[in-house]
């Protein structure tokens, strides 16, 4: 019975690898996948395991960056395409930001108008309440205004006043 090399090797990972780096004194940007004599579960210079998280298939001329553990594009045409795509995405984001800023300014203006309208409405309600109670101020004086004051021997309590109700047409 014929056994596969991957079945005989110990360890986790895969024995299918890509080569990216110097091997035997020769610089290899990308080669593989090839079978190796041991299994790998993470990149070990100059070997990158052929695992889904290290898939180079979207690149034309990939080179592995061992510091970031990602493939990078080395092909100038592909890099130019990526730059153009990033520039377009950046322009779209700028337009979206401008639109959001304009919308936000309009909402701020509407809120300012609404706050002013509420303040004016509150002032008119206050004026109407003053007219309906017949007083010019909304607070009672804390001291009587007469010259002779008689001090009571027991605490004075203020009598509750009848609630003010709005009447239609000025008639009760």
């Amino acid at each position: 019975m014929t056994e596969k090399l991957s079945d005989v090797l110990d360890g986790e990972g895969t024995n299918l690898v890509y080569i990216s780096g110097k091997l035997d004194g020769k610089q290899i940007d990308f080669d593989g996948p090839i079978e190796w004599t041991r299994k790998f579960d993470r990149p070990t210079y100059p070997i990158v395991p052929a695992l889904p998280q290290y898939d180079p298939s979207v690149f034309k001329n990939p080179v592995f960056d061992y510091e970031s553990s990602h493939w990078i594009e080395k092909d100038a045409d592909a890099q130019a395409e990526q730059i153009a795509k990033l520039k377009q995405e950046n322009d779209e984001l700028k337009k979206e930001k401008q639109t959001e800023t304009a919308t936000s300014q309009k909402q701020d203006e509407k809120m300012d108008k609404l706050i002013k309208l509420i303040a004016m409405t509150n002032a008119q309600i206050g004026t109407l309440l003053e007219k309906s109670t017949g007083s010019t101020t909304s607070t009672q004086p804390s001291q009587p205004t007469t010259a002779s004051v008689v001090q009571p021997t027991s605490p004075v309590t203020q009598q509750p006043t009848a609630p003010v109700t709005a009447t239609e047409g000025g008639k009760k």
Side-chain angles (χ1 to χ4, degrees):
M1 174 159 113
T2 308
E3 293 186 66
K4 290 182 175 181
L5 180 59
S6 61
D7 295 335
V8 209
L9 295 174
D10 291 335
E12 296 294 317
T14 179
N15 69 317
L16 284 177
V17 298
Y18 300 102
I19 306 294
S20 183
K22 246 184 188 169
L23 185 64
D24 234 6
K26 183 178 177 185
Q27 178 63 37
I28 302 171
D29 289 336
F30 176 77
D31 194 13
I34 59 172
E35 272 194 307
W36 203 257
T37 57
R38 77 177 243 233
K39 289 185 175 182
F40 293 88
D41 61 350
R42 65 182 183 277
T44 305
Y45 187 85
I47 297 171
V48 181
L51 296 172
Q53 65 266 34
Y54 306 116
D55 183 17
S57 64
V58 296
F59 300 100
K60 289 183 181 180
N61 187 14
V63 175
F64 197 76
D65 180 3
Y66 288 90
E67 288 182 24
S68 67
S69 292
H70 289 90
W71 291 100
I72 56 175
E73 185 60 69
K74 193 173 178 183
D75 184 66
D77 293 336
Q79 286 177 343
E81 287 175 24
Q82 287 177 341
I83 289 170
K85 187 177 180 182
L86 289 172
K87 186 179 182 309
Q88 181 182 2
E89 288 175 5
N90 186 37
D91 292 343
E92 289 172 6
L93 288 172
K94 283 181 181 178
K95 286 179 185 176
E96 285 179 25
K97 183 180 178 190
Q98 288 173 345
T99 302
E100 288 175 5
T101 301
T103 301
S104 176
Q105 288 174 344
K106 287 179 184 177
Q107 287 176 342
D108 288 348
E109 290 170 4
K110 287 180 182 178
M111 286 300 292
D112 288 343
K113 288 178 183 178
L114 185 59
I115 289 170
K116 287 177 184 176
L117 181 62
I118 290 171
M120 290 184 338
T121 303
N122 285 342
Q124 288 177 351
I125 289 173
T127 303
L128 290 173
L129 284 175
E130 286 176 5
K131 287 181 181 178
S132 68
T133 60
S135 67
T136 57
T137 61
S138 61
T139 60
Q140 298 285 332
S142 60
Q143 295 289 329
T145 56
T146 61
S148 63
V149 177
V150 177
Q151 296 292 331
T153 56
S154 62
V156 177
T157 57
Q158 189 176 10
Q159 297 295 323
T161 58
V164 177
T165 57
T167 57
E168 188 175 329
K171 297 180 182 177
K172 286 190 176 183

